[in-house]
Amino acid sequence: MVFYDKHGNPCCYSDDFKHIYGYDGEPLGYIQDGLIWNYNGRYLGQFKNNWVLDKDGYYLFFTENA
């Protein structure tokens, strides 16, 4: 699954629909029960209907199925 920014550029991906990585291979966070967390335990937002929404509910990224 590839995540795209508002310009349609790929920005990060997930091979297992759980862990999110940057294209440099850096682990960025994970999805658990539809919520997105970084590896320090900070809440980043949610994954909903193939969109990534930030903690304030703004749309940040989308997948090809959005």
Side-chain angles (χ1 to χ4, degrees), residues 35-60:
L35 303 178
I36 302 173
W37 304 87
N38 73 9
Y39 288 103
N40 293 324
R42 185 173 146 224
Y43 172 70
L44 301 175
Q46 63 179 309
F47 183 66
K48 186 175 183 180
N49 297 324
N50 293 297
W51 285 88
V52 173
L53 288 74
D54 70 10
K55 59 185 178 181
D56 296 318
Y58 292 101
Y59 292 89
L60 294 177

Side-chain angles (χ1 to χ4, degrees), residues 1-5 9-31 36-37 39 47 52 61-64:
M1 173 171 52
V2 176
F3 296 96
Y4 299 91
D5 66 16
N9 299 314
C11 56
C12 51
Y13 69 94
S14 176
D15 286 336
D16 61 5
F17 302 101
K18 185 173 181 180
H19 300 93
I20 302 170
Y21 298 93
Y23 277 101
D24 60 358
E26 179 183 357
L28 301 174
Y30 61 94
I31 302 168
I36 302 173
W37 304 87
Y39 288 103
F47 183 66
V52 173
F61 308 120
F62 61 94
T63 70
E64 62 188 34

